[in-house]
Amino acid sequence: MDDTERVRPELLDTRFGDIRFLPEVDSTMRYVGDAVAGGATPGLVVVADFQSAGRGRLGRTWEAPRGSALLMSILLDVADLAPPRRHLVTAAVGLSARDACAAVGGFTPDLKWPNDLLVGDRKLAGILAESSGADVVVGIGLNLSAAPPDAVCAEEAAGRPVERAPLVIALLRALDGWLGRWDAVADAYRSACSTVGRRVRVEQVGGDFEGVAEGLDEDGRLLVRVQKELKAIAAGDVVHLRSAEPR
Ligand code: BT5
């Protein structure tokens, strides 16, 4: 049985009625973005075995050998979510992916603000959300059986192979339950986010700085204490520092 036959029947009672498995695509984000332009409706899910031009944030790339990763983009209607709270889509996908790893792989990755899943210090998965009007396309790349140097795959974290189909099912079923419950997503993400309480370096276009991540505000911005000032960070890269690192 292929993944289409395994996954589709398990999602019939969710909003994810149109799930397409592709052997190869440049980027599932590009594919879903074009599908929107062609009239696709929310609930579309695209999963690829291989991407020739996988995207990260800020023009970066996402690399995964053929058949080694979960590479998926989802079209969601977020008309009920004010633009400053759109990051909660990323949070909902992160929470769902974490729970799917726990259910299917028996391990629980950490959620690093704003868009990563980590096992220890190593990156397991990255999430990318792109808005267009009332729709958001959200993508996740999650390493299953291979990972770049310094990153980690689910097989290594679980100590056994982790299959894509059950992970897709668990992730999308969890996501179906989170969507629309945005205050609950914000609360769950706040308590799950491993960045909170850490010393961090924030890397931004205007320059880097270090401080202690004290929390997340209601719009999901990271609150970083830099001496007396509490800075609210909406975007940027964050490095978790060991507490022993100098200030
Ligand atoms: C992300 O960006 O982490 C978001 C990645 C989203 C990828 C998915 S795959 C399905 C969908 N279709 C797409 O085209 N994209 C989405 P960012 O935070 O900018 O991190 C990107 C950085 O992660 C890269 O610059 C590398 O350093 C690193 N990286 C690349 N491939 C990786 C991998 N397989 N595992 C871990 N780290 C990786």
Side-chain angles (χ1 to χ4, degrees), residues 210-214 223-231:
E210 291 182 14
V212 175
E214 289 194 348
L223 300 171
V224 179
R225 171 78 56 192
V226 184
Q227 289 153 357
K228 287 196 174 141
E229 192 186 353
L230 196 58
K231 295 186 186 236

Side-chain angles (χ1 to χ4, degrees), residues 4-163:
T4 313
E5 290 165 7
R6 291 176 74 185
V7 171
R8 277 196 184 142
E10 302 293 333
L11 297 173
L12 291 177
D13 57 338
T14 71
R15 74 196 71 210
F16 303 116
D18 183 0
I19 174 156
R20 305 178 194 174
F21 287 87
L22 311 176
E24 179 167 344
V25 71
D26 50 353
S27 157
T28 57
M29 301 301 284
R30 197 280 308 154
Y31 181 102
V32 174
D34 282 4
V36 174
T41 49
L44 170 66
V45 179
V46 173
V47 181
D49 296 342
F50 179 71
Q51 295 183 128
S52 54
R55 299 183 199 161
R57 293 176 304 150
L58 309 167
R60 294 188 287 234
T61 57
W62 189 260
E63 313 270 353
R66 186 177 303 274
S68 72
L70 168 61
L71 306 167
M72 175 165 77
S73 290
I74 308 159
L75 177 60
L76 297 172
D77 174 359
V78 291
D80 60 338
L81 200 52
R85 303 192 83 199
R86 292 257 166 113
H87 75 89
L88 289 174
V89 174
T90 300
V93 171
L95 288 163
S96 302
R98 188 186 68 141
D99 289 352
C101 287
V104 177
F107 68 97
T108 304
D110 286 331
L111 296 177
K112 173 174 174 261
W113 190 90
N115 70 320
D116 289 344
L117 277 78
L118 302 184
V119 175
D121 288 338
R122 294 185 292 162
K123 186 156 166 169
L124 173 77
I127 299 166
L128 177 66
E130 296 175 346
S131 281
S132 66
D135 293 332
V136 164
V137 182
V138 62
I140 180 166
L142 190 153
N143 303 318
L144 292 175
S145 59
D150 301 328
V152 66
C153 66
E155 180 169 332
E156 186 185 341
R160 57 179 164 82
V162 176
E163 282 189 297

